[in-house]
Amino acid sequence: MNSVPKTKLAALVAAALALALAAAGLVLVLVDVTMTADGLRNEAQQLAAPPSRASGRQAGAPDLGRAMATRNPLYKTGRLTDVNCRPGTLPARSITAYRRFLSRVTACLNRVWGAQFRKAEMTFTKPRLRIITRKVKTPCGVWNAGADGVYCSTDRTMYLMISKDQLRNPFPLGITRLIAHEYGHHVQQISGIWNYYWTARTLAGKARRLQLSRKSELQAECFSAAFMSTMRGSDLVSDADWAYTVEWFRKNGAKGWPQNDHGKGPTQAAWMLRGFKRGTPGACNTWATASRNVR
């Protein structure tokens, strides 16, 4: 039997690994952070279901679809539309008010991002919203310990858990930022950005996987900030509360994770400020920026 050159064998092994992971459905759990009125809470995003089919270039080199991440049509759609989002107040100890608030913010996000997808002439679909009061098992796996929010790309659903602590000490801007961040991952999913992300992960070493994770998380945070900018100066997004939130992330944003998969605190704050100032999806192109900007 003829021997296979080492370089060709390595390429075949990598390609087989990519296809196996895509077929099986890779499940990754990432941790996010939000705030209540009197402290911190861990939030989790369970990201699952990479593309079921990974196309390939000739000569065994995989086609990662990088252009959809670096040159996505959404980047040319300009500022997010102000839809006059006013979700109302969020009084303490009212689960009914909490459910109403979360539903209204999600409706605002649907209108804002639906308009951007129409500008880009891309198909838009809304994510599902499921509001819960106890941990559940999602199609992406078992609920992560300590998590209050999960986005599962398998069923394109945002799972938001209302905890007793949140009911006692609601922070409307903080929970809005979290929902908008989760929604940012949905935008990545339906725009094709995650096709590149998941396929590239299957072929990457540990350092590269962490960098790809940071690019995804920092972009979602920037998308969130761009949405928040449409409500700048409102009762929900006052300049003082926004400055406080950004500064909190600058100091604490990286403390919740044992690995640098979300970016250092100053890096997170920088993308929050960038998205908020410019208010455009194009300001959030973490996939084409220099590595030093996604540390």
Side-chain angles (χ1 to χ4, degrees), residues 81-104:
T81 302
D82 183 352
V83 297
N84 193 31
C85 183
R86 299 293 184 268
T89 60
L90 186 55
R93 305 183 186 281
S94 173
I95 193 168
T96 299
Y98 223 114
R99 289 179 180 274
R100 181 171 60 244
F101 184 88
L102 294 175
S103 297
R104 287 176 176 175

Side-chain angles (χ1 to χ4, degrees), residues 220-275:
E221 197 61 52
C222 184
F223 282 164
S224 173
F227 170 73
M228 301 299 286
S229 75
T230 67
M231 296 178 285
R232 182 173 185 174
S234 67
D235 292 339
L236 179 61
V237 188
S238 68
D239 289 343
D241 280 352
W242 178 250
Y244 166 77
T245 302
V246 173
E247 186 59 22
W248 187 92
F249 273 89
R250 187 190 308 279
K251 294 179 179 179
N252 304 286
K255 291 182 179 180
W257 309 292
Q259 299 184 97
N260 185 19
D261 55 6
H262 281 61
K264 298 178 180 179
T267 305
Q268 294 179 42
W271 284 99
M272 291 173 75
L273 289 171
R274 181 181 176 91

Side-chain angles (χ1 to χ4, degrees), residues 35 88-91 98 101 105 170-177 228 236:
M35 295 172 287
T89 60
L90 186 55
Y98 223 114
F101 184 88
V105 171
F171 182 31
L173 187 150
I175 192 65
T176 301
R177 181 215 65 83
M228 301 299 286
L236 179 61

Side-chain angles (χ1 to χ4, degrees), residues 69-70 72-80 113 116 215 218-227 229 267 270-289 293-294:
T70 60
N72 197 279
L74 282 175
Y75 299 154
K76 297 181 179 180
T77 56
R79 292 189 67 89
L80 295 185
W113 283 108
Q116 295 305 119
K215 285 175 179 284
L218 292 167
Q219 182 174 59
E221 197 61 52
C222 184
F223 282 164
S224 173
F227 170 73
S229 75
T267 305
W271 284 99
M272 291 173 75
L273 289 171
R274 181 181 176 91
F276 194 76
K277 179 180 179 180
R278 301 191 184 184
T280 68
C284 303
N285 187 357
T286 57
W287 306 96
T289 192
N293 296 324
V294 290

Side-chain angles (χ1 to χ4, degrees), residues 178-243:
L178 173 66
I179 300 171
H181 178 106
E182 304 284 7
Y183 205 106
H185 287 309
H186 179 69
V187 170
Q188 292 171 324
Q189 170 82 2
I190 64 176
S191 66
I193 292 172
W194 261 5
N195 288 343
Y196 169 69
Y197 170 59
W198 283 114
T199 309
R201 280 184 58 86
T202 65
L203 302 177
K206 181 178 179 179
R208 176 60 174 162
R209 287 198 302 271
L210 287 173
Q211 184 189 65
L212 288 166
S213 176
R214 292 194 298 272
K215 285 175 179 284
S216 177
E217 293 299 328
L218 292 167
Q219 182 174 59
E221 197 61 52
C222 184
F223 282 164
S224 173
F227 170 73
M228 301 299 286
S229 75
T230 67
M231 296 178 285
R232 182 173 185 174
S234 67
D235 292 339
L236 179 61
V237 188
S238 68
D239 289 343
D241 280 352
W242 178 250

